[in-house]
Amino acid sequence: MYSTIWGLLRPRVHERAEILGRDDEYREKYDYSTARAVAPLNVLCEYCLPFTKVGGLFIALKGSSGMQELKDARNAIKVLGGELAKADEYNLSNGDARSIIIIRKISQTPSKYPRKSKKIDTKPL
C-alpha cells in the first residue's frame, strides 16, 4: 500500500511510535506531527516530539481537559525540546469543549527518548 502526501508517493509505515521515534530515517524529519485522542499530553509529547524537526510543530487536539493536561506536560515539553507556541480552547457546534495545543520544537530531543512504552506509561515525564 502507498499513500500520497502532497504529490509524493511514499510507502505506508506501520510501527509503534516509540520504535520509529528512535530510527534515524524518521527521527526529527517532519515539519509537523499531530495527534488526537491517544493519550495524555505529556505522553503524546514523548511519542510525537521525537519525529518533529527543530523549528517544526507538534499539534495536539485535546478535549475539555486540554489546559490541565498542558499544565501537567510542562516538564515533558521542556525535556523533549519543545516550547508552547499557542493553546486555545473552543466549543464545537454541539457545545462540547475542545483544546488545540501547538508546541514548537526548539532543540533536539535527547537520544534516550522515546522510551519503551511500558516506561512511558508507568513513569511519564
Side-chain angles (χ1 to χ4, degrees):
M1 281 260 181
Y2 289 86
S3 64
T4 303
I5 300 173
W6 293 295
L8 301 174
L9 191 62
R10 302 185 76 181
R12 284 193 178 190
V13 177
H14 182 78
E15 185 57 83
R16 296 186 64 88
E18 64 272 20
I19 293 172
L20 285 182
R22 291 178 156 275
D23 186 326
D24 288 339
E25 186 175 346
Y26 301 97
R27 186 176 179 87
E28 298 187 330
K29 300 288 189 214
Y30 300 94
D31 293 318
Y32 304 96
S33 59
T34 64
R36 65 174 287 279
V38 176
L41 186 60
N42 58 340
V43 172
L44 283 180
C45 287
E46 191 162 353
Y47 286 138
C48 293
L49 281 171
F51 289 105
T52 311
K53 65 176 149 181
V54 174
L57 300 173
F58 164 45
I59 304 164
L61 301 172
K62 302 301 292 177
S64 60
S65 64
M67 293 304 138
Q68 182 58 50
E69 287 187 38
L70 177 58
K71 289 178 187 174
D72 297 341
R74 296 260 182 212
N75 182 57
I77 293 167
K78 183 178 177 182
V79 166
L80 297 165
E83 75 175 2
L84 179 64
K86 188 173 187 176
D88 281 324
E89 293 178 293
Y90 60 95
N91 290 310
L92 300 177
S93 58
N94 67 1
D96 290 349
R98 297 288 188 267
S99 302
I100 185 166
I101 298 165
I102 302 173
I103 298 167
R104 181 171 305 283
K105 182 84 170 270
I106 60 169
S107 63
Q108 289 186 317
T109 299
S111 61
K112 69 180 182 178
Y113 300 106
R115 300 167 295 162
K116 294 184 180 204
S117 63
K118 185 174 183 177
K119 186 70 132 184
I120 292 171
D121 290 341
T122 58
K123 293 192 180 241
L125 294 174

